[in-house]
Structures are given as C-alpha cells and as structure tokens.
Amino acid sequence: MNWITNYVRPRINSIFSRREVPENLWSKCDSCGTMLFHREISDNLNVCSECGHHMHITPRDRFLALFDGGVFSEIDVPEPLTDPLQFRDQKKYPERMKAAQKGTGEKEAMLVAAGEIGRTPVVCAAQDFSFMGGSMGMYVGNAIVKAAEEAVRLGRPLILFSAAGGARMQEGILSLMQMPRSTVAIQMLKEKNLPYIVVLTHPTTGGVTASYAMLGDIQIAEPNALICFAGPRVIEQTIREKLPEGFQRAEYLLDHGMLDRVTDRRKLREELIVICRQLMKMPPPTWGDLPAPGPDEAKMPQTKPAK
Amino acid sequence: MTHYLDFEKPLAEIEGKAEELRALARDNEGMDVASEAAALDAKAQAMLKDLYGKLTPWRKCQVARHPERPHCKDYIEALFTEYMPLAGDRNFADDHAVMGGTARFNDMPVVVIGHEKGNDTQSRLDRNFGMARPEGYRKAVRLMEMADKFGLPVITLIDTPGAYPGKGAEERGQSEAIARSTEKCLQIGVPLVSVVIGEGGSGGAVAFATANRVAMLEHSVYSVISPEGCASILWKDSDKMREAAEALRLTAQDLIKLGVADRVIPEPLGGAHRDRAVVIANVGKAIAGMLEEMDGHKAKDLIRARRQKFLSMGSKGLAA
C-alpha cells in the first residue's frame, strides 16, 4: 500500500497533470507583457524567459520540480476546528473556504511533504498564496508544527517557502496566536540543531513575516518578492510620502541586511541542496540527472497515516 | 473635563447638569440643590450601569482607547517601587513607545516592560502613540535576556494600536524584531506575566504577550487587526468597524472562552478612567496572583508550560 501511495501514485499523477491541456495555451508575462507558451512557462518554473519575472507557482508544482524525480510524500496535517469564531463578514467563512478549495484544488493554504532533493532527505512546507492569500490560520499553524515534528522525528532539515498576505482575519485572535505557536515549532528544530531554511516568495507580509518567516538559519528570497510587515499602501497613508523604488522588495531587504541571499527560482534547488548538505555535514552532492529514488528510498519519507 | 465617548452623550448631559447645579449652588449661598443633584447623580449612575453592562465589542474598543485611560506609566508609577528606566537597543536608538526597566513589585526585584501611549499631545508624539518601532522590540529582548540571566520575573503591560507602519521601521526589520521578541518570550526561564491594559494590537502585542499568564482588563481588547482595518479589507468599507469588531471576537470575555486570556480584571463602573486608583489596585492584585501561581517553578518547567500553552492554542472554539 505504501509503495503504491508513495511512489506509484505521485508518478502517475505527475504524468497526468502534465498532460492536462490548459485553457489558454499562451499567457502574458505580468511584468514585460511577452506572450509565453504554457509549456515554456512551466518548464521554466513559472519564470518569464524574457525578463526573469517570477510568477506565482503552486506548492504542488514547486514540489514536483524540487524533489528528485518529482517524487514526494505528502504529510497529513491535523485538521483544526472549522470556523472557530463563527466568523461572518459579507460571506460566511466556510463559504469562502469552499470557494478557495474549489479554486485551488487544495485543502488549505499550506502543503507539507517529505522527500529527497539531490539525494538529501528533507521536509518541505510551502504556503499557497492562491488559497485565501496564503493566510495563516490554525491549519497553517498545524502544518508548521507538523512539519517541524516530522523534521525532528526524521532528523532532517526543514525548508519552508513562505507566501502570505498575513494572518487569516476570519480566525481572529486564533490566527494571531499562530505567531507564537509557529515560533515554538521552529524552536523544536533549533534545539535539535536541525537547519531551518526559509525561502521568502512573493508576497510575504504581516504576521507571517513577523514570525516563522523571519526566524530561519538561512533566509533566502526570490527576486523582487515583496517582503514586509506593513504593506506599502499602509505606510504611504501613514507617512504621506511616496516610497522609494523597490522599497520592501527582496533586493532592498538584502541591501538592508535582512536576508542572506536573493536567488533565482531556477537556481534555488541547487542552492538548497548545497546548503542542506553543508549544514548536515554530508558529502558534496552528485550533480546531474539523477533517477528518481527507487521504491526503497521512496519508502523512507513515509509517514504514519493520519488518525 | 471628562472626555465622553460618542455613546456616552446622554450621560454627558446628565452629568453636565449636575455639575451646573453644583456650580450654581456654590455661587448662590443658601440655595439648596443637594437633593436635585443627588437625583441626577443617581440617574447618571443608573445610566452608566446600563451602558457599561452591555458594551458592544466596538464600544469596548472605544473604551480601551479612551484618552484618559490609565496607561503603562501610571501603572508602573503606582504599582512598582525603585523603577529604574533602562533605555536603548544597543544598536540604533531608544524607542519611547516602549518603557522598560528594573523595579520592585511588592519588594521583589522584577523587570517591567510595556507600551506607553502618552497622555497629551506632546507626550503622545514622543511616545509615537504607543506604536513601537524595531528598536522597542529589541530593547524588550535585551531586557528579557537580562531578566533571564538574573532570575527576575518579567511583567509586561500591553497597550498598543500595533507596530508602527513607517519607512524606517520596515527598513530596520520590523518583522524580524517582532519575531525575535516573541521568540525571546518563549525562551526565558523566569515567570512571564502580561496584562492587556488597553489595546492589544496584533503583532506588536504578541511580541510582549507570549506569556505564562495573560490577564485582560474588563474593557480591553486584543485582536489580530483593528476593527477599522478588518472592515476596510473584508467589507471594503472602514465604516463597518462595528460589524468587524463583532466578528473578530476581540473582547476579554470572548478571549477567556478561547483560552487566549487567563483572567479578566474588573474595571470600575464606567471604565478604568473613572477610578484610576481602583483599577490600578485591581491590576496589582492580578499580577501578584499570577506570579504566585508560578512561585517555585523551575526554569525549564516555566519554558515548557509556556510553550505547551501556545502549542495547544486554538483547540478551543466558541461554543455555538
């Protein structure tokens, strides 16, 4: 069963997902306006081949490209309470959730997986900006706690890709409480001296930036990603002046000492492999097209089914 | 001159009349207004009871932000002795929105840290309306480290609209500073108790309130976002703050149910500003009580308990 769920199914899925023909074969780069063929975009990890603009990429697509042979096993995240505050604005919260689930085909705003990158065992978590702005609620908190627990249990580094507008208002104070909660999760890793690497992607703002996304041993950002606590609009309204060009963008933060690196998405996998192996005192990686891990290796990252 | 909130207008009229009567009596000797004034007082009292007995969440926000509400400085002056203000983050500046230092609480040496909003135009500007910049959080981290080193309990007083959304604050790493402050709260092996005395605004509050015990004043609020901010995002209309305040569940009473706050400290009728001495004494009692609960606990147990508390946060919803 495990061999099938962890190895065969992802492979089959990846074949089929690649065959899906998108409605629009051509799309326009948001930045330079060049028309790009869909295959060209996906082969390029949603980076514009003309101007290098980094477009949105779903956690699943990211993981397919990141893990060796596109093979990873998804880690089940414990389900939190549904709508704990019975929150209601113009729409009910559960209705907003359903719409987001339908729109993305995902359960929630974070995907957690274990697998190998360049034959380096890791646990990865990625936040999905297309799911309610990637907002951090209890599920995202649970996902980070689970990811940290798995990394500790397996003795692996945790790589986290952040992307969020901030906390999920529909969960009120409980979303705010995910700031200390996720910080506890990161401390569990640090106590075991396991690397915690954060990749900040566009955009990472609000309470997410002010908690787990800024506590990495290594802080990497994708080019031109907006990274901030308060957004530029709020600041402009407060100080009533125009902000400088590139303010709160990855390169600006790098200049101000807030990041270790700004790395092109197409180089990211290599970098993560190098860093993880160095920090884990593993021998240098073997480069080149490695075959996907065999069934034995694929079995490794497997987790207990959720109860 | 008392500052009246919009919903207190009818009250302002009655209290104003009573005041007028008394003034009249002072000017004209022999005029007996005592009974009339007393009747008005009684009426005002009844109205206060009525108004404050069922404050809506939005009204609670207004009371929590009341300009005459006692602030951090008032509590420190009244409840602590030998307060020794300690300044600076040893890196860039001293943030006046955050007060902190060593002091004695009931003779016991402690570290006290809190947001201060200021109480007149000049001090409000100086304190930046209680909105801390990165230096404020870094100062707090430094003080918490010191408290940990010397085994002094830490008491934090929370009263901030939120972190300051400014250009320099962002450039100097507002988010990192908040994250590190929250992290430090979780690391120190001494008792950490917080009291939300006014507004617990988002990340700026969490950075100090990740504590073993969190108490809230009866009419204080603690929220992920201000009702106005929430309304402008979700309702696309910042005038819907009443609805947003309702939906956010930001009152002390709701936060007890959600397990975020541990105790509610009663306020005098009509809010903390109507009787400072009473509310300050109540806060003092609550702090003493919370510290006592952790008396004799070992460093590692305090850390473990604090972490456990925040890990299990969110397992409790509001019952339908």
Side-chain angles (χ1 to χ4, degrees), chain B residues 297-315:
Chain B
H297 287 206
K298 289 199 187 85
K300 66 173 196 316
D301 295 336
L302 287 167
I303 296 171
R304 195 189 303 132
R306 203 182 296 128
R307 286 189 184 182
Q308 205 44 52
K309 171 182 171 163
F310 284 91
L311 265 186
S312 56
M313 206 66 91
S315 52

Side-chain angles (χ1 to χ4, degrees), chain B residues 40-297:
Chain B
L40 282 174
D41 282 347
K43 202 171 161 193
Q45 203 65 11
M47 189 174 276
L48 258 185
K49 208 165 185 177
D50 187 44
L51 279 176
Y52 277 79
K54 47 173 197 309
L55 281 184
T56 61
W58 170 246
R59 287 181 177 179
K60 290 226 182 219
C61 292
Q62 291 177 287
V63 177
R65 294 172 184 170
H66 196 288
E68 285 154 23
R69 197 173 172 82
H71 289 159
C72 179
K73 191 163 170 282
D74 305 304
Y75 288 100
I76 291 182
E77 279 168 6
L79 292 174
F80 297 81
T81 51
E82 293 180 6
Y83 173 57
M84 189 66 68
L86 300 173
D89 69 343
R90 298 298 182 273
N91 186 37
F92 182 77
D94 181 45
D95 186 345
H96 295 178
V98 174
M99 308 178 63
T102 50
R104 283 182 191 270
F105 179 77
N106 292 342
D107 290 335
M108 173 176 47
V110 297
V111 163
V112 56
I113 302 168
H115 306 96
E116 172 55 46
K117 287 182 168 178
N119 52 14
D120 54 28
T121 307
Q122 203 191 341
S123 63
R124 281 185 193 122
L125 286 173
D126 178 48
R127 303 286 186 182
N128 201 27
F129 302 88
M131 292 182 283
R133 298 181 168 92
E135 294 71 44
Y137 304 107
R138 292 184 179 132
K139 170 162 76 180
V141 167
R142 195 173 70 77
L143 293 180
M144 285 192 268
E145 264 166 14
M146 191 181 69
D148 192 27
K149 182 173 171 187
F150 297 107
L152 312 180
V154 178
I155 296 152
T156 60
L157 301 170
I158 314 300
D159 192 14
T160 178
Y164 182 60
K167 180 169 168 276
E170 287 285 327
E171 283 171 345
R172 298 192 300 276
Q174 184 79 285
S175 9
E176 196 258 0
I178 293 174
R180 293 284 170 209
S181 183
T182 312
E183 188 186 38
K184 187 50 72 185
C185 284
L186 287 161
Q187 283 170 337
I188 54 176
V190 290
L192 173 54
V193 304
S194 292
V195 183
V196 183
I197 53 174
E199 274 184 285
S202 180
V206 167
F208 294 171
T210 304
N212 293 91
R213 298 283 187 282
V214 177
M216 289 181 71
L217 277 181
E218 190 182 342
H219 305 311
S220 68
V221 294
Y222 188 6
S223 175
V224 65
I225 186 169
S226 71
E228 295 93 328
C230 179
S232 82
I233 297 172
L234 289 183
W235 277 264
K236 317 271 178 248
D237 178 1
S238 57
D239 289 337
K240 297 277 187 211
M241 66 268 185
R242 285 173 191 82
E243 287 85 341
E246 201 85 41
L248 281 167
R249 313 279 183 185
L250 39 65
T251 66
Q253 293 71 24
D254 275 339
L255 296 188
I256 286 276
K257 288 185 210 152
L258 289 166
V260 173
D262 302 301
R263 59 165 88 193
V264 177
I265 305 174
E267 288 188 32
L269 185 61
H273 56 283
R274 283 190 172 253
D275 198 337
R276 289 174 165 242
V278 167
V279 76
I280 287 172
N282 288 353
V283 167
K285 261 182 260 164
I287 294 174
M290 292 192 288
L291 287 175
E292 204 180 279
E293 285 168 19
M294 280 169 287
D295 215 12
H297 287 206

Side-chain angles (χ1 to χ4, degrees), chain A residues 241-262:
Chain A
E241 59 178 273
K242 205 90 191 108
L243 293 165
E245 181 71 20
F247 182 67
Q248 297 181 321
R249 296 290 171 163
E251 294 74 11
Y252 197 89
L253 267 81
L254 186 71
D255 275 350
H256 283 81
M258 292 298 145
L259 298 172
D260 291 293
R261 303 180 59 76
V262 173

